Amino acid sequence: MSGQDAPINPTGDPYQLLQIVRNPDGTITRALNIPETPPTSDPSLSISVLSKDIPINQSNNTWVRIYLPREALDNSSHLKLPLIVYCHGGGFVLYSAASSHVHDHCVRLANELRVIIASVEYHLTPEHRLPAAYDDAVEALYRIKTTQDDWLTKYADFSNCFITGMSAGGNIAYQAGLRVAAEADHLGPLNIRGLILQQPFFGGTQRSESELRLVTDPTLPLCVSDLLWELSLPIGVDRDHEYCNPTVGGGSKLLEKIRLLGWKVLVTGCDGDLLFDRQVELVKLLEEHGVHVVGHFSVGGCHGVDFHDSSRGKAFLEQVKNFILI
């Protein structure tokens, strides 16, 4: 899921494990207590990163939270910072751009990488099944490209933009990337240079070796992964739908567009993650289509290990830093 979830009993009811209750009308009640953090935009405060929310679509109650390293305000060189559009994890079902662990992670990204982060508040499933979250991410990109917000117009380098996400957010970043690649001519002055997929959430109907090996994984057991897809995919389709399994049919035809645009893609993972084989398969798929892809895979760990293990978190930040500077 998101990387902030504590280990759970992998043999129980997946609804109980996620602390959700399915309602007769198809919605769910979320019992998990998830703290939230408000944005802080006052430059007089002694903080390294400022933040504020700007609306995407007020009728849909979607928005982005902008994170600005305060040093940008004091930088007399007027050099603009790379822009990273971020999609949070949570299995499409949980969390928000305002969730405290998401907020803290974005602060860390902005501070350590010296970038501006735009964290997308997207619709959750099952109330808004896929592709709603993909639509929200694409709409956020179009909103950013036309914004008059001074933080973005003054300090963001629109020619140096990446789309990124963790877990389900990595899936959203990939699918939104495919969509905007097809419309790249209409996205200017925003220029997407690539995708950063941190332990992205993918699946399929045929069990992979890592899924069978880690079926009772305490961080992300297979029963939870299956339920998340059941709650998120369009009604009536299985896990070999393109939203879940990007390798179906040899991959999206839009991968050719990504290749022609010269985008680069970073995929990270570890072999202690149930999703490991899916992430390796994605790298192979991108290589087969001639896309410039970098895969960073480590031994051990678990889903969300970059949040739990500070040394691995630092390693991930270094991988991203090197990737965006290529």
Side-chain angles (χ1 to χ4, degrees):
M1 296 198 312
S2 76
Q4 276 294 298
D5 310 286
I8 53 182
N9 178 357
T11 60
D13 177 352
Y15 284 94
Q16 293 181 355
L17 299 178
L18 291 169
Q19 298 185 47
I20 61 175
V21 176
R22 193 163 192 169
N23 302 317
D25 63 357
T27 64
I28 60 172
T29 299
R30 297 164 177 84
L32 190 63
N33 181 24
I34 303 171
E36 295 191 347
T37 299
T40 306
S41 59
D42 185 352
S44 68
L45 296 176
S46 180
I47 54 177
S48 61
V49 176
L50 305 175
S51 57
K52 67 177 174 181
D53 298 339
I54 61 174
I56 299 173
N57 187 325
Q58 290 182 321
S59 63
N60 287 339
N61 194 31
T62 52
W63 42 273
V64 291
R65 178 164 294 182
I66 308 300
Y67 296 84
L68 177 72
R70 71 166 300 111
E71 67 182 64
L73 299 176
D74 307 323
N75 191 342
S76 59
S77 68
H78 304 295
L79 288 177
K80 294 191 173 185
L81 301 178
L83 174 64
I84 293 183
V85 178
Y86 180 80
C87 303
H88 67 80
F92 307 108
V93 169
L94 298 173
Y95 307 129
S96 160
S99 296
S100 294
H101 74 274
V102 175
H103 178 91
D104 293 345
H105 181 58
C106 289
V107 167
R108 190 177 311 114
L109 289 175
N111 191 44
E112 296 290 333
L113 300 177
R114 294 189 69 253
V115 299
I116 294 175
I117 302 290
S119 178
V120 180
E121 174 72 354
Y122 58 82
H123 284 98
L124 299 180
T125 64
E127 293 83 358
H128 304 275
R129 288 178 176 266
L130 300 176
Y134 308 152
D135 294 339
D136 292 337
V138 171
E139 188 174 18
L141 288 163
Y142 275 92
R143 174 71 176 88
I144 289 168
K145 95 179 188 84
T146 60
T147 186
Q148 298 302 309
D149 178 80
D150 60 340
W151 283 8
L152 292 175
T153 58
K154 288 183 179 179
Y155 305 113
D157 181 359
F158 278 22
S159 70
N160 192 11
C161 178
F162 293 86
I163 311 173
T164 184
M166 163 66 192
S167 189
N171 177 295
I172 295 169
Y174 179 76
Q175 297 290 349
L178 291 175
R179 291 173 175 225
V180 296
E183 306 167 2
D185 293 341
H186 304 291
L187 205 58
L190 202 60
N191 179 46
I192 309 299
R193 293 189 54 221
L195 310 175
I196 301 168
L197 312 179
Q198 184 183 13
Q199 295 188 280
F201 185 33
F202 293 106
T205 55
Q206 185 172 348
R207 300 303 189 191
S208 71
E209 186 278 333
S210 62
E211 288 171 343
L212 294 174
R213 174 168 51 87
L214 296 165
V215 63
T216 58
D217 177 68
T219 303
L220 179 62
L222 188 59
C223 64
V224 167
S225 175
D226 286 353
L227 177 59
L228 293 171
W229 284 118
E230 178 187 334
L231 294 173
S232 301
L233 288 168
I235 292 174
V237 307
D238 63 21
R239 292 191 305 277
D240 277 334
H241 189 277
E242 62 182 325
Y243 296 164
C244 178
N245 187 348
T247 68
V248 167
S252 171
K253 293 181 174 58
L254 292 173
L255 290 175
E256 174 65 9
K257 183 67 171 175
I258 286 181
R259 183 187 71 82
L260 292 173
L261 287 168
W263 288 13
K264 53 187 180 179
V265 181
L266 172 65
V267 182
T268 70
C270 61
D271 68 3
D273 181 5
L274 179 91
L275 307 176
F276 173 69
D277 287 342
R278 305 296 180 182
Q279 296 151 5
V280 172
E281 288 171 0
L282 178 64
V283 170
K284 292 179 180 177
L285 175 71
L286 295 172
E287 289 175 339
E288 290 168 0
H289 283 264
V291 175
H292 177 188
V293 58
V294 177
H296 278 292
F297 298 105
S298 59
V299 176
C302 61
H303 193 65
V305 68
D306 297 341
F307 289 85
H308 302 152
D309 184 323
S310 61
S311 63
R312 289 184 186 248
K314 290 178 181 178
F316 170 73
L317 289 173
E318 194 63 29
Q319 291 161 8
V320 174
K321 185 182 297 184
N322 293 334
F323 179 75
I324 64 178
L325 291 175
I326 295 174

